[in-house]
Amino acid sequence: MTPDPRIQTCALCPKLCRHSCPVAVATGREASTPTAIMTTLLRWHRDEVEPEQARLAATLCTNCGSCETTCGIEQPVIKILREVRAQLVEPMAAKPLQKVEGGATYVAIECDDRNWAAALAAHLGRGVARLQTHDHLGADRLDHPQSATEHLVGLRDRLGGRVAIVSCHRCESAVKAAGIDTLHLQTLCPMPISGTIHHPCHGPRLEGDTPASALACCGASGPLRHTHPEAAMDVKAQAVLRLGTDSACSPDTQCAQHLRSGGLNVIDPVSHLLTLVNK
């Protein structure tokens, strides 16, 4: 294979983004640095390493984009790695889409075990339908655009003409890829700032600063959690440690759920909404 010049550029970089990569920082492994990942992929393009080794390198990523923010030459690292994974990683099967319950224009996308559509309806004083999902509307399939097309068409048919109300960046990425009008729950029911702020790597941000030592990503999403679960646990533990408090707030419900599983008390838009309505 002819080496991708963008991969070669990253492979030859003197590791300027190493300090910003949450996987490299949390694991302390040189192989987890963006430069090392790109070096492995460059060697794969040159037929010097096996595809399995390249697959393991390309999945050492949470898709947070911190390396791109740090990069001085604007390398599209997320796009590069997604293109490589489309060749090396089999697409995950999306779970069947559930039926939308209710005929309202607003549809609450409930992606954990909390039913909050009724609470949002009470808060807004208008009807809110609900759609439950156990895989964030198949967001993982977005790494494979060709195989995702049919799934996204089905999602658009299911929600066409309605407004999806999302509470996490993975559901948001799926509905936006399907061309569906989207609102984040945080905009409809703003969460007050309480404790330490956790800024997710995608989606809305709260006003205020997160601790300077915080990781760029908590490890809640991206291919890392599927292929390298131990590394994902390292990222979560380090993210909780660096937030440095027993209480935090996050506008992303998936990040909040992930951090709670690491022992941190986190308020998110859904927990705030349910508390507000049940007072």
Side-chain angles (χ1 to χ4, degrees):
M1 289 182 286
T2 303
D4 185 329
R6 301 170 304 171
I7 293 177
Q8 184 165 302
T9 298
C10 278
L12 296 175
C13 174
K15 302 180 182 177
L16 297 180
C17 62
R18 186 197 193 289
H19 70 283
S20 69
C21 174
V23 184
V25 171
T27 64
R29 294 175 54 214
E30 200 61 29
S32 299
T33 65
T35 304
I37 292 169
M38 291 299 191
T39 299
T40 298
L41 298 182
L42 178 62
R43 295 185 64 205
W44 169 62
H45 274 284
R46 292 173 173 171
D47 295 321
E48 296 174 359
V49 300
E50 295 297 319
E52 176 61 9
Q53 188 174 346
R55 182 185 73 86
L56 292 175
T59 50
L60 282 168
C61 179
T62 66
N63 285 336
C64 72
S66 179
C67 52
E68 293 187 359
T69 302
T70 308
C71 181
I73 56 174
E74 299 182 346
Q75 280 282 85
V77 181
I78 292 178
K79 184 174 186 293
I80 294 169
L81 291 180
R82 277 182 170 155
E83 290 174 356
V84 171
R85 289 195 296 269
Q87 300 175 62
L88 293 168
V89 182
E90 288 294 320
M92 296 186 67
K95 297 183 183 298
L97 288 170
Q98 302 296 308
K99 293 182 178 179
V100 177
E101 299 179 22
T105 301
Y106 277 7
V107 182
I109 309 299
E110 299 176 347
C111 55
D112 55 32
D113 58 357
R114 295 175 293 181
N115 180 347
W116 49 271
L120 181 60
H123 176 69
L124 297 177
R126 61 175 294 173
V128 177
R130 63 192 292 253
L131 173 60
Q132 290 183 303
T133 174
H134 301 292
D135 65 348
H136 301 276
L137 300 176
D140 286 323
R141 293 187 69 87
L142 299 181
D143 257 3
H144 298 80
Q146 291 183 336
S147 67
T149 300
E150 183 179 351
H151 173 71
L152 292 176
V153 168
L155 182 57
R156 185 163 56 249
D157 290 344
R158 190 66 49 93
L159 289 171
R162 305 208 206 189
V163 179
I165 311 301
V166 299
S167 66
C168 83
H169 70 277
R170 291 183 67 207
C171 289
E172 184 176 37
S173 66
V175 292
K176 284 187 172 181
I180 297 164
D181 290 339
T182 311
L183 285 174
H184 198 284
L185 179 59
Q186 173 64 14
T187 66
L188 295 175
C189 184
M191 180 178 55
I193 306 301
S194 175
T196 297
I197 298 172
H198 166 258
H199 286 312
C201 46
H202 301 286
R205 298 173 72 85
L206 302 175
E207 292 184 6
D209 297 323
T210 197
S213 61
L215 292 183
C217 179
C218 67
S221 64
L224 183 76
R225 71 191 189 284
H226 295 304
T227 310
H228 306 275
E230 292 184 358
M233 292 288 285
D234 289 338
V235 175
K236 176 173 67 176
Q238 193 64 216
V240 170
L241 179 65
R242 288 176 176 237
L243 284 172
T245 179
D246 293 329
S247 178
C249 58
S250 174
D252 191 294
T253 55
Q254 191 197 11
C255 292
Q257 187 176 40
H258 186 66
L259 292 168
R260 277 195 290 268
S261 70
L264 190 65
N265 177 28
V266 188
I267 300 170
D268 62 42
V270 171
S271 60
H272 168 61
L273 170 66
L274 294 176
T275 300
L276 192 67
V277 171
N278 291 329
K279 279 185 178 179

